[in-house]
Amino acid sequence: MTILSVDCMGGDHGPAVTLPACRRFLDEHPEARLLLVGGDALGSFNHPRATHVPASEVVAMDDAVEVALRRKKDSSMRVAIQQVKEGKAQAAVSAGNTGALMALARYLLKTVDGIDRPAIAYPLPNAKGGATTVLDLGANVDCTEQHLLQFAVMGSALVAALKNQEQPSVGLLNIGEEIIKGSEVIKRAGELLRSAAAAGDLNFHGNVEGNDIFKGTTDIVVCDGFVGNVALKTSEGLAGMIGGFLREEFSRNLLTRLAALIAYPVLSSFKNRVDYRRYNGAALLGLRGLVFKSHGSADAFAFSQALARAYDAARNNLLDRVQARIAHARPLLAGSPAEPQPAEAIASE
Amino acid sequence: MTILSVDCMGGDHGPAVTLPACRRFLDEHPEARLLLVGGDALGSFNHPRATHVPASEVVAMDDAVEVALRRKKDSSMRVAIQQVKEGKAQAAVSAGNTGALMALARYLLKTVDGIDRPAIAYPLPNAKGGATTVLDLGANVDCTEQHLLQFAVMGSALVAALKNQEQPSVGLLNIGEEIIKGSEVIKRAGELLRSAAAAGDLNFHGNVEGNDIFKGTTDIVVCDGFVGNVALKTSEGLAGMIGGFLREEFSRNLLTRLAALIAYPVLSSFKNRVDYRRYNGAALLGLRGLVFKSHGSADAFAFSQALARAYDAARNNLLDRVQARIAHARPLLAGSPAEPQPAEAIASE
């Protein structure tokens, strides 16, 4: 039996979204148990496989990292991660503030040997109908080639665990496919990733460009947190603009509304294909425990997807896989300059 | 009378696209003259305001920069830029290989005083119905805060010239709006841009995030060439995926094809709004002469838009504006970013 701890108070909507999501998830996963972490209101949730774990405080979406770390010691986010630390749950899930979640997870769980910095891995839908896992997406602004190798190894473990695909392909995000392209760090990262591939640590495809993320050229795309964050948010902006234009055009007048009615099945099937909610659930990788982050604005369906992702990762021993792969790649990672990154550098959602 | 020199041989299609585009442009701009640079085939183009300038070679889309610079000395691309250097044209336009165009333009025209590196500025459509000008998009992978300030000043000159908007707003691309976000270079760039705003060199909005590009939060978004290139190509990939899904859904079966027929006016009006061809024409900024780059795959409509953009820039004295703004910002461009200078001292320069 796999047990998840759920920060039921986090996100834009709190229990109004997390509780229906938990029920949905429990219905769909008869082997799962949940620890519902949060205030007394959760006590009214009755399910034979759910247990209420009390927590008296809530990390707000705009709380500074310091507040989450030093002041709110009984927050639902912290208590949820604590369940993982104490072995009472195999993974924690929260829709709360990303910076606070990363800082708390790092403080409570610590990083895996061989990992300097945890990373955030996000699945983005691709034209092949699957998802491309991109990391890092916001935790680390200045990365060395060693960090990029760590991301590649951890991302491979994640995709292997979630998709049952032993050697997922890895692309290094660059501004051209040729080896000579990119900054000095990227060129050195390319060399290191090729060495890792030669050592059997990775299935390295080579350089990829921004358009390859949505093409689905590789299973995984590795980049520093600054570039990853810009790519993710630029995509969100473009998708929002295109969606807005479509809606405006179809609601312009009576005729276009009629056209929308007739095209409804097509539009709704289209909408389903680009529905990012299906891919909700980012993994915080490199910690001695599993933590998954849901989008803060997730609805019950989206949040249940994040629970399902955490559940699959826990059942498929993501933690052991990350540790085993990192240990295997250790000769290449050795000599890696250990430079801890301050929590302030973590990007906001 | 404004004269443009046109590399008629460049791009994926050469004269088959550039000549119809030139005719269209001449029809729409009765005050313009064109120098059509390229092989003898161009001689058959008859127009009272077009002159054939012969060039015996063509820079191929996959030619290395060295080939364009050292071997093909009579290429249409080179001869087109040469017309600008010799004062025979006020701007050159090419749809050829970006790397070769930048290298030739830099070699022949040299950079403006105060500019270390030319930048490529691209207009991207935004949700407000206008365009957000993003730079740099590919020319410079590792940028200092000084480079980012140069981009901000040059981008302001470009938008001022093309949109008749004296103080366009500038955003610094970052992973959060707060001043403390981002890498060390970005934080120093933020300080420098604030100093430049205090000195009256810029209308600096502050940090922006990836989604602000398509929201249209600012007129200009400044970033290094690596990040800009990833943002641009990621957007192309996403737009391609969404367009592909829409097409697939509407052509799934007889019913969906019927729906497409009924929704045709709406879909075509939508398509027009997201039509990147309308925004074709990137400016190479920071050179002692105007050069515009069309997308290589441009069709005649798109190429004529690039001609129109170059024409507007030339008529509105973009070159003088860039030089004047750079001269005004000179104290900051030369000085240390750590010591913002008093506004009076700069204003009296």
Side-chain angles (χ1 to χ4, degrees), chain A residues 211-231:
Chain A
N211 50 342
D212 290 303
I213 296 173
F214 290 103
K215 268 195 201 162
T217 306
T218 55
D219 298 307
I220 297 154
V221 170
V222 168
C223 56
D224 74 42
F226 192 98
V227 171
N229 184 284
V230 167

Side-chain angles (χ1 to χ4, degrees), chain A residues 123 133 156-165 281 283 292 308-316 318 321:
Chain A
T133 297
S156 298
L158 175 68
V159 174
L162 290 181
K163 295 197 188 160
N164 200 17
Q165 190 179 353
F292 277 74
R309 190 148 286 130
Y311 177 76
D312 288 342
R315 261 193 333 154
N316 294 321
L318 173 58
R321 287 173 188 252

Side-chain angles (χ1 to χ4, degrees), chain A residues 81-115:
Chain A
I81 300 170
Q82 191 66 31
Q83 306 307 304
V84 174
K85 182 179 169 137
E86 294 172 7
K88 293 177 184 159
Q90 279 91 64
V93 181
S94 174
N97 168 342
T98 312
L101 185 66
M102 178 59 98
L104 277 172
R106 195 170 174 176
Y107 173 71
L108 294 172
L109 301 173
K110 315 297 179 205
T111 52
V112 165
D113 283 340
I115 293 296

Side-chain angles (χ1 to χ4, degrees), chain B residues 47-237:
Chain B
H47 195 285
R49 286 179 282 117
T51 315
H52 177 211
V53 176
S56 61
E57 292 172 299
V58 178
V59 174
M61 291 308 269
D62 56 355
D63 271 347
V65 165
E66 290 69 32
V67 172
L69 270 178
R70 307 216 180 94
R71 293 235 291 276
K72 295 185 171 171
K73 299 223 168 154
D74 195 38
S75 73
S76 56
M77 187 188 275
R78 183 176 187 137
V79 174
I81 300 170
Q82 191 65 33
Q83 305 307 306
V84 174
K85 183 179 168 135
E86 293 172 6
K88 294 178 184 159
Q90 279 91 63
V93 181
S94 175
N97 169 344
T98 312
L101 185 66
M102 178 57 98
L104 277 172
R106 199 171 171 172
Y107 173 72
L108 292 173
L109 301 174
K110 314 297 179 205
T111 52
V112 165
D113 282 339
I115 294 296
D116 300 327
R117 302 176 179 187
I120 301 179
Y122 233 89
L124 290 172
N126 65 37
K128 291 183 175 166
T132 306
T133 297
V134 185
L135 74 165
D136 174 48
L137 283 179
N140 309 286
V141 289
D142 283 308
C143 290
T144 65
E145 59 274 24
Q146 291 280 340
H147 297 131
L148 293 167
L149 173 59
Q150 293 168 17
F151 299 166
V153 171
M154 295 193 295
S156 298
L158 175 68
V159 173
L162 290 181
K163 294 195 190 162
N164 199 18
Q165 190 179 354
E166 263 320 301
Q167 289 297 342
S169 56
V170 176
L172 175 64
L173 192 58
N174 202 338
I175 57 172
E177 286 174 18
E178 304 85 345
I179 288 177
I180 56 146
K181 292 284 181 181
S183 65
E184 291 311 310
V185 169
I186 292 291
K187 283 187 231 173
R188 288 197 301 266
E191 284 174 33
L192 201 53
L193 291 169
R194 278 188 293 280
S195 303
D201 294 323
L202 281 182
N203 173 10
F204 182 48
H205 167 91
N207 288 336
V208 293
E209 300 185 70
N211 49 342
D212 290 303
I213 297 173
F214 290 103
K215 268 195 201 162
T217 306
T218 55
D219 299 307
I220 297 154
V221 170
V222 168
C223 57
D224 74 43
F226 191 97
V227 170
N229 184 285
V230 167
L232 177 71
K233 289 200 177 144
T234 302
S235 306
E236 286 178 359

Side-chain angles (χ1 to χ4, degrees), chain A residues 126-127 141-142 173 175 183 209-211 226 233-235 238 241 245 248-249 252 266 269 273 346 348, chain B residues 126-127 141-142 173-175 181 183 209-211 226 233-235 238 241 245 248-249 252 266 269 273:
Chain A
N126 65 36
V141 290
D142 283 308
L173 191 57
I175 56 171
S183 65
E209 299 186 71
N211 50 342
F226 192 98
K233 289 200 177 145
T234 302
S235 306
L238 176 58
M241 182 183 87
F245 283 173
E248 275 175 42
E249 291 303 332
R252 198 170 281 283
V266 186
S269 153
R273 283 179 76 174
I346 294 166
S348 62
Chain B
N126 65 37
V141 289
D142 283 308
L173 192 58
N174 202 338
I175 57 172
K181 292 284 181 181
S183 65
E209 300 185 70
N211 49 342
F226 191 97
K233 289 200 177 144
T234 302
S235 306
L238 176 57
M241 182 183 86
F245 283 174
E248 274 175 44
E249 291 303 331
R252 198 169 281 283
V266 186
S269 153
R273 284 179 74 174

